[in-house]
Amino acid sequence: MPMKVKQLRNRADEDARMIHMSMQMGNEPPISLRRDLEHLMLLIGELYKKNPFNLELALEYWCPSEPLQTTTLLGSYLGVAHQRPPQRQVVLSKFVRQMGDLLPPTIYIPYLKMLQGLASGPQCAHYCFSLLKVNGGGHVENIQGAGGSPVSWEHFFHSLMLYHEHLRKDLPSADSVQYRHLPSRGITQKEQDGLIAFLQLTSTIITWSENARLALCEHPQWTPVVVILGLLQCSIPPVLKAELLKTLAAFGKSPEIAASLWQSLEYTQILQTVRIPSQRQAIGIEVELNEIESRCEEYPLTRAFCQLISTLVESSFPSNLGAGLRPPGFDPYLQFLRDSVFLRFRTRAYRRAAEKWEVAEVVLEVFYKLLRDYEPQLEDFVDQFVELQGEEIIAYKPPGFSLMYHLLNESPMLELALSLLEEGVKQLDTYAPFPGKKHLEKAVQHCLALLNLTLQKENLFMDLLRESQLALIVSPLEQLLQGINPRTKKADNVVNIARYLYHGNTNPELAFESAKILCCISCNTNIQIKLVGDFTHDQSVSQKLMAGFVECLDSEDTEEFIRLEEGSELEKKLAGIRHETRIHILNLLITSLERNPPSLALYLLGFELKKPVSTTNLQDPGVLGCPRTCLHAILNILEKGTDGRTGPVAVRESPQLAELCYQVIYQLCACSDTSGPTMRYLRTSQDFLFSQLQHLPFSNKEYEISMLNQMSWLMKTASIELRVTSLNRQRSHTQRLLHLLLDDMPVKPYSDGEGGVEDENRSVSGFLHFDTATKVRRKILSILDSIDFSQEIPEPLQLDFFDRTQIEQVIANCEHKNLRGQTVCNVKLLHRVLVAEVNALQGMAAIGQRPLLMEEISTILQYVVGRNKLLQCLHAKRHVLESWRQLVEIILTACPQDLIQAEDRQLIIRDILQDVHDKILDDEAAQELMPVVAGAVFTLTAHLSQAVRTEQKHPLALGPGEAHYAFTLDSCFTSPPPAENPAVGFASIGDSSLHIILKKLLDFILKTGGGFQRVRTHLYGSLLYYLQIAQRPDEPDTLEAAKKTMWERLTAPEDAFSKLQRENIAIIESYGAALMEVVCRDACDGHEIGRMLALALLDRIVSVDRQQQWLLYLSNSGYLKVLVDSLVEDDLTLQSLLTPQPPLLKALYTYESKMAFLTRVAKIQQGALELLRSGVIVRLAQCQVYDMRPEVDPQGVFGMRDPPVFIPTPVDRYRQILLPALRLCQVILTSSMAQHLQAAGQVLQFLISHSDTIQAILRCQDVSAGSLLELALLTGIISKAALPGILSELDVDVNEGSLMELQGHIGRFQRQCLGLLSRFGGSDRLRQFKFQDDNVEGDRVSKKDEIELAMQQICANVMEYCQSLMLQSSPTFQHAVCLFTPSLSETVNRDGPRQDTQAPVVPYWRLPGLGIIVYLLKQSASDFFSYYDSHRRSVNKLQNVEQLPPDEIKELCQSVMPAGVDKISTAQKYVLARRRLVKLINNRAKLLSLCSFIIETCLFILWRHLEYYLLHCTPTDSQDSLFASRTLFKSRRLQDSLASEANLDFRSGLTIVSQHDIDQLQADAINTFGESLQKKLLDIEGLYSKVRSRYSFIQALVRRIRGLLRISRN
């Protein structure tokens, strides 16, 4: 090779000599010359010029003469600096050097071109620079004399200076006209070619090597920039000027040079920016463009100028360019580029067609850079004034401002840009090559990018403009794009932009920009609707657009996360761009789906637009003419790899893309319109969910956030699918997904899931726990495992210069909501703020510390990036946990219960509960996840409780022998309880599992500490559900239980309920005061729901806490007192609740919870004492709300109300406030045995302090379920508290006056209660109430039961009261206090109907007759039998629910659930029917016990009165009657100085008993108390009292009364 080269060189030298000779002789050079060496050089130059892979292969041609110091500049074979370079490299470098020696002129230009090729690359450029520098050195012995080699910097710049000197003299005066023609002494063509070649070489070297750039620029002799600018002012051909400008552009790459270049440009007026008045003619580049270049139809100079500006704009941007000579600013340059270059580029003539697009490309590039670097600031919108030659003028605005203004108006610039886009897409649609195609594509790309930047910045720009005083009008770009295209007369601008997506394969950048614009525009709903019309009105365009979108989504190379090692920079960049395009298209679909139809997304995903969306029938592409839509493309992305082991490819390789795909599918399934068609298509054609879910959980640690979001969307979609298939009864689909998610047996991989033999076996072995070795983790649990609850928190900032608190403040100010709605910090904005802060510092010290400050800024930014990532990661974790929880909840609540066996169900819930607790109780777990977990725990515990309780109700048969499937609600009595079987614990998951769950719940509660009250609210709910497991279910009172003797009951083995309850309370107590403290604190203050649940929990615990530890703690630590005292605070809020339109009812609910808890405490004897001590009844007496009884609406008779609305009426609200107080009083009276009199005294004070209300209730003006309930409770209290004996116990200072008043109150209560008897005990119309039409339904049925019960309760209470009064005030028979007159006429004359039900029958100052008692006795006896029959029938029905006719079942269900009975399954109907029957049985049992009590009491009172009247009473018409009654009274006064005032009354009523009355009484009594009644009473005792009450009590009384009636009085 070297020999061959030598030959070529010799040949070339020879040729050069011949040419030289022929030129000397003036001949033509010979034609036969060969140019082999030239061609070789040009070839080498061309070969190495392009360096796409950055390999710098040209390094082989450079052999460094001195060893290099820096490692970066080593040659390709120089592993070690001092090694000998390889032979080949030595030879090649010698070739380069020797070819440059003694260059013949013919080879000069090819040699320069070869050097230019070999200098491309940073290291090559450096070597080339050194070569040219060395060549020029004087020490090289050169034959050519002192000038040095012609190929050297010295020679070149020397020549340039000479040309400049030479041409400067020729500068024509401004007036001369010969300027147009080049002067005679110019540069010849050959010189020009040589100069151009050397300029190009210089440009290449200084472009690649910054050192060379600075070394040349700063060289004192050469001063290249000055010389070049000088030459540019001389008259030389435009081509040369263009090259000079390009070289300047290369110099301008360094910011240091660029700054001075701007000033020099302005000074030399290459573009005339200052007009001197005396100057007639314009000079500079504008003239060249309009006069010279346009005439030649070639525009090298203009292009080079644009290139120079483009480079300078990027390197350094001068703010006050041209200050002092003109208004400062960039505007003149922008105006020239816009008006002279851009707006006219289409109308100019071009000799070379491609040049048109080259011009467009370079000028648009400048615009793009200017707009890219522009951020709208407030000061841009205020006119800035500057002083120029003594006058104030307005400064130019920043170029970005001007561009924004032009692009936000229908300016020629925007119009031209849009028509350029149209022309571009037309040209590309031809698919034919044409000159300048590359440049056209670039120009279009800049156009689209400009639109994009405008869309991004317009909101801020317009906001600032609105606030400012500038008189400018702008329109949003998205509206301008809707404008009419003047060429097509249609609004097709957006369609033209969208058509670029169709060229996504060939021009990914254009597709990317286009997708970005569409994504931006589509946020606006109105524009969406227009776009749908524009996209679809022309069939062919519509198909093509769809194909474009699909093609972009289908592009394959998004695996840029994987193949980063292979492929050139360009390929990687394109892959990234294609990926981003897909992301934008998916974002467009997502934003569009959130809008109302018609939306772009529906069109792109293949839904109907002309008909209702839900009627769409999605098909595979090609079926029934269905095109391939974006939906198919999305499914395709997610499908790849699902048939293998590794799962969907996209999830690993392009996680963000996969995440958005899953989100689109979720949105389609979640939206009511699109849900039906989409889910049908996914289920039938794709089997999408099953194939995706079997690969969960995904694992991709690198892209954790995306991975979590992918799983979230997929699980949410699965939840919808499970819900929908369950609703539509598509059992096989539901079952298949449930098996996939819940099975813990290994499934055959990717089986079709249809049940076969193996399916049966699997479900059997699923709950017989053999073969544990082959168990696998349930999928629902492994998904939970994949969520990492711990979260690394970035290190807190350590700052030296900035103030930490202020930085935190600035960070908070820079926060904004991102697309997903997460609050993150805007890093770019923060950077700008901090840099501005540093720039504002003054003084030398600040300048010295600037590098350190900048370093600290980067630390802060890194911290913020970490913090953003943390927020996003936590958001993603919450999102995925929410979705997981939703899936679990749907599986438990919405899927048919029978698809998961009861036992499996409990196991699954147990596993999930334990796992979820283990994860959240870990010390590392992030607190932000607690709320979601607590919500999940709540649902799971509720379902566990339900599952275990259901299992208790249906004890599973353990063998054919003992299959008692009869519904054994009363199994506790009839059959041995199932818990005795050792195989089964309390639940099939065993007690120990339940205990573990309880402990974890309590740990969780303690982990929340003081904060997180809402989290604890969920946990209290869970705990209540858990404790409910050990609660006995409602058992029907079958009246059988009492047959066992007391001893049998005491020695019965502990049943499962009590055992579990005992163990639960032991666990709870092991947590000690820490737990008590948390619960009690929540019960006393905080969030309302939290308070209510904490109170409910306390209620539950106190009720089962046999040791009364909690009660002790409550009273000792003062929490009980706080609760009691808070009743007075509640008083005002409760009063406000009685207005017709109340505020929120929260206060009412917390009050009810509080009272319920206090009532529970009062049920314990110790508790009642504590409550009395803390003065609860005194507090109730102080509350005024009980006195605010609202008026009742007159239509409310008999409870015939309008159907109730959600907010109860004022009367109902009042009852909700009053009844708990009455109940509390009643319970305290009942359970405070030791302190009974003290309690009764306090209750009496409560009654007296609210006596108006009490009397209003006792008057009982209207009869409804509510008012009867009030009355029942109140009479119960009065019967225990308003007794004469209580007065002696009152701890008030009793003086005569107040004593009289108290006696008056008690007397009034007594009279009113007795008056009630005549209304409810007599044959009054009220008695008819319960025999009204029996065909009432639903709610009214239970109302009727309530009313009946309340009436019997009232009668029982009044009778008890009478009995107490008699017993208390008459210790001996002789001195009986009679409450009833000796008249039985009541039973006779009252059978006729009475009209005035409102007035009491007997005026209350007159005593009722004994007749009413007898009537009540008879009535109760007959009631008893009807209730007894009803009770027996219901018990029989309950034992054979399955045999009942369907109509009856339906009727029973309707009383529990008025609407929608037909929709529920038969099994559920049976459950409801049982529930109703149990209620009915228990109601009847209560009624029976009340009737029995009333009968016993009536008999007792009847006997006492008869005995008094028939044996001890002295009639008035005998002599000593007056004396007798006086002495009776006196002795009573002495005996009981505080006797009841009522005695006066009774006496006055009794003074008129005559002998006739007594005889009449005896006669009537014999008639009334006949054989039949006696037999009835004895039957009742036989049936009922034997097991329930004092046996043979009735018998004894009947015997005595019979005896009394036989006595003949003489």
Side-chain angles (χ1 to χ4, degrees), residues 41 102 263 366 496 608 616 638 744 941 1045 1140 1206 1208 1226 1342 1452 1515 1543 1583:
M41 288 179 170
L102 305 173
Q263 300 306 332
V366 179
N496 287 334
E608 289 279 359
T616 309
L638 296 177
D744 56 356
T941 328
T1045 62
F1206 178 68
Q1226 194 179 27
S1342 48
L1452 285 167
N1543 294 342
L1583 280 174

Side-chain angles (χ1 to χ4, degrees), residues 1201 1204 1208-1217 1266:
R1201 285 251 147 80
T1209 56
V1211 180
D1212 289 343
R1213 269 174 270 156
Y1214 175 74
R1215 285 196 186 119
Q1216 279 177 289
I1217 294 171

Side-chain angles (χ1 to χ4, degrees), residues 1110-1121:
W1110 282 67
L1111 186 57
L1112 269 171
Y1113 179 82
L1114 271 164
S1115 48
N1116 293 346
S1117 59
Y1119 282 114
L1120 195 60
K1121 183 95 178 81

Side-chain angles (χ1 to χ4, degrees), residues 1358-1373:
V1358 176
M1359 293 314 294
E1360 184 188 358
Y1361 190 27
C1362 295
Q1363 185 184 342
S1364 307
L1365 280 172
M1366 287 184 67
L1367 289 175
Q1368 244 195 37
S1369 48
S1370 48
T1372 61
F1373 288 128

Side-chain angles (χ1 to χ4, degrees), residues 144 193 320 399 536 706 716 720 727 757 901 1143 1158 1190 1373 1500:
Q144 276 166 321
D193 291 346
N320 55 351
T536 52
S706 283
K716 278 185 166 176
I720 297 177
L727 278 179
V757 179
Q901 294 203 347
L1158 293 176
F1373 288 128
F1500 175 74

Side-chain angles (χ1 to χ4, degrees), residues 54 134 317 472 755 765 772 780 783 801 808 860 1050 1081 1094 1115 1138 1184 1505:
N54 290 336
V134 171
F317 195 78
L472 294 179
S765 57
T772 43
I780 198 90
I783 293 173
F801 298 101
E808 288 292 342
I860 293 172
L1050 287 173
R1081 201 175 50 228
S1115 48
L1138 294 177
Q1184 292 170 13
H1505 277 74

Side-chain angles (χ1 to χ4, degrees), residues 549-830:
F549 278 97
V550 172
E551 192 169 307
C552 285
L553 281 178
D554 277 340
S555 67
E556 283 298 315
D557 52 0
T558 45
E559 300 159 27
E560 77 282 358
F561 298 92
I562 297 299
R563 288 194 328 210
L564 274 178
E565 297 76 44
E566 327 146 17
S568 67
E569 281 296 313
L570 183 68
E571 270 180 34
K572 282 182 212 166
K573 191 173 148 215
L574 290 184
I577 286 175
R578 287 201 177 98
H579 174 69
E580 285 297 315
T581 309
R582 297 164 89 174
I583 299 281
H584 281 308
I585 291 178
L586 290 170
N587 276 326
L588 161 73
L589 293 175
I590 288 167
T591 46
S592 170
L593 279 173
E594 287 161 2
R595 308 275 176 272
N596 293 332
S599 66
L600 265 185
L602 294 179
Y603 149 68
L604 292 173
L605 294 163
F607 287 88
E608 289 279 359
L609 293 172
K610 300 199 168 60
K611 289 185 253 173
V613 178
S614 50
T615 59
T616 309
N617 191 5
L618 295 173
Q619 298 288 359
D620 286 340
V623 178
L624 299 178
C626 176
R628 184 175 169 78
T629 63
C630 290
L631 180 61
H632 299 128
I634 288 171
L635 289 172
N636 214 31
I637 293 172
L638 296 177
E639 225 169 56
K640 275 196 198 81
T642 46
D643 38 10
R645 278 239 168 273
T646 50
V649 178
V651 167
R652 292 190 312 282
E653 299 188 349
S654 29
Q656 195 191 353
L657 182 79
E659 175 193 337
L660 294 174
C661 289
Y662 284 122
Q663 188 177 348
V664 170
I665 285 180
Y666 165 71
Q667 277 183 311
L668 283 176
C669 294
C671 166
S672 54
D673 285 335
T674 52
S675 177
T678 312
M679 304 209 71
R680 214 164 29 242
Y681 178 65
L682 293 180
R683 205 176 303 130
T684 51
S685 306
Q686 304 280 335
D687 194 18
F688 172 77
L689 274 167
F690 189 81
S691 58
Q692 295 287 331
L693 285 171
Q694 62 186 355
H695 294 290
L696 281 183
F698 299 140
S699 62
N700 190 344
K701 274 287 159 257
E702 259 176 295
Y703 296 96
E704 187 182 17
I705 296 175
S706 283
M707 175 199 86
L708 293 172
N709 284 326
Q710 290 159 7
M711 300 207 304
S712 301
W713 297 122
L714 187 53
M715 285 192 285
K716 278 185 166 176
T717 315
S719 307
I720 297 177
E721 168 77 350
L722 282 169
R723 172 99 179 96
V724 169
T725 51
S726 302
L727 278 179
N728 298 342
R729 313 253 175 105
Q730 294 167 301
R731 288 175 63 95
S732 59
H733 286 293
T734 317
Q735 190 167 12
R736 191 160 164 241
L737 286 177
L738 285 180
H739 271 312
L740 176 68
L741 291 167
L742 301 178
D743 275 6
D744 56 356
M745 306 307 292
V747 188
K748 283 199 318 212
Y750 322 119
S751 69
D752 58 352
E754 290 304 320
V757 179
E758 43 89 32
D759 219 42
E760 289 300 310
N761 296 346
R762 184 172 65 206
S763 62
V764 171
S765 57
F767 69 84
L768 299 176
H769 306 303
F770 310 133
D771 193 18
T772 43
T774 62
K775 284 266 179 94
V776 290
R777 195 104 166 97
R778 301 180 200 276
K779 193 166 282 301
I780 198 90
L781 292 177
S782 49
I783 293 173
L784 181 64
D785 296 340
S786 69
I787 308 168
D788 179 11
F789 278 31
S790 63
Q791 184 63 48
E792 289 172 20
I793 293 172
E795 291 290 310
L797 280 168
Q798 302 295 331
L799 301 175
D800 302 327
F801 298 101
F802 290 100
D803 175 36
R804 170 123 184 238
T805 49
Q806 284 191 331
I807 286 293
E808 288 292 342
Q809 187 55 49
V810 171
I811 291 175
N813 292 343
C814 291
E815 280 177 348
H816 70 122
K817 282 247 166 68
N818 66 3
L819 289 172
R820 289 217 188 87
Q822 307 151 349
T823 307
V824 290
C825 180
N826 184 340
V827 182
K828 285 181 179 168
L829 180 62
L830 180 66

